[in-house]
Amino acid sequence: MAAWRHVLVTGASSGLGRALALACSGEGAVLHLGGRDAVRLEAVAEACRAAGATALPQRVDVRDAAAMAGWIAGAGRLDLVIANAGISAGTGGAVEPASVARAVFETNVTGVLNTVLPALETMAAQTPGPDGWRGRVAVVASVAAFVAAPGAPAYCASKAAVQRWAEALDATERRRGIRLHAVCPGYIRTLMTARNAFPMPLMMEPEEAARRMLAGIAAGRTRIAYPWPLYAAARLAGSLPPGLRAAAFSRFPAKGLD
């Protein structure tokens, strides 16, 4: 079991969210698991219960601010909240449709706000835990936050927004006894990446990605970016002049529309 007894995870029905839920399972753990697919979410909850945890699935859409606020407020104590829910989309080699850009920002940015803001208010009213903090919030961004890839403008921008917001917020929320962590993983083998038609070096299994994330949180790192060679490559690509970067990325297939 991870170091935190009371954990809330969004996007917990599959992929990284499922792996995080299982990694946090164990005797005494209380897991609040959010997702839109009730059947898959219940299957994850059953797996967590088999590992000894109390698992409480909740069918919820992170875009619904009122529903998220109600769910989080009713969860009780929260030692760790992981804002993991997100979607991926790109241009498909053409122009990114307005509907796609809006959908990506509504889930990846507004959905994170709808998760983190009520969680912070809950945590601020809690007594500190054994580690001395009232609570921790992990925002799942991506190494894509560090490079403006022309094939996925909304996705890269949305991940950059939440990565920078979490890192900036950590400095001020420490005064209230709360830690923020910006998690920037590389490629993870999920249904989301299965649609990508371009090379995905250093692909990780969800379990490995979850392990690295939780280890970084436990170590108190504000930015948790991995694997480091891909993170370094993203930082390098992000530092290129926009024209040169666009020319380089034009040699690879663009991320699909959904």
Side-chain angles (χ1 to χ4, degrees):
M1 185 181 76
W4 308 279
R5 287 174 57 88
H6 301 87
V7 181
L8 183 146
V9 184
T10 65
S13 61
S14 64
L16 179 59
R18 179 182 186 277
L20 286 165
L22 290 170
C24 290
S25 295
E27 294 295 334
V30 179
L31 307 180
H32 302 273
L33 308 176
R36 292 185 295 173
D37 190 314
V39 174
R40 290 194 302 179
L41 196 60
E42 180 58 33
V44 174
E46 281 297 321
C48 293
R49 292 173 190 135
T54 297
L56 305 170
Q58 177 71 34
R59 186 177 181 277
V60 67
D61 190 328
V62 295
R63 297 172 297 180
D64 187 333
M68 288 295 294
W71 176 43
I72 292 169
R77 182 176 181 89
L78 293 171
D79 299 313
L80 173 63
V81 168
I82 304 176
N84 167 70
I87 62 173
S88 173
T91 64
V95 174
E96 186 173 67
S99 60
V100 169
R102 289 183 182 278
V104 169
F105 275 94
E106 285 170 4
T107 297
N108 294 4
V109 178
T110 303
V112 166
L113 294 175
N114 291 342
T115 305
V116 174
L117 294 176
L120 292 176
E121 295 313 304
T122 291
M123 290 177 176
Q126 297 177 166
T127 57
D131 61 359
W133 297 100
R134 298 181 190 278
R136 295 174 179 271
V137 176
V139 173
V140 178
S142 167
V143 293
F146 304 105
V147 54
Y155 180 76
C156 291
S158 69
K159 292 303 185 179
V162 297
Q163 172 258 324
R164 291 168 194 248
W165 183 61
E167 291 186 8
L169 202 58
D170 179 55
T172 54
E173 286 298 330
R174 288 186 190 220
R175 302 170 192 164
R176 296 204 290 177
I178 303 169
R179 287 298 317 276
L180 272 290
H181 307 273
V183 185
C184 305
Y187 297 110
I188 303 171
R189 196 180 307 280
T190 65
L191 294 175
M192 186 183 295
T193 56
R195 298 190 298 266
N196 292 342
F198 49 83
M200 292 179 285
L202 303 176
M203 177 81 78
M204 294 173 288
E205 297 300 324
E207 294 75 17
E208 174 63 13
R211 185 193 66 78
R212 293 194 187 197
M213 180 193 303
L214 295 174
I217 295 170
R221 289 159 52 197
T222 301
R223 179 184 297 176
I224 305 165
Y226 57 92
W228 72 263
L230 195 60
Y231 170 52
R235 294 298 302 269
L236 177 61
S239 69
L240 295 174
L244 181 57
R245 183 172 60 244
F249 275 94
S250 69
R251 302 176 61 182
F252 301 100
K255 182 182 284 288
L257 288 174
D258 54 28

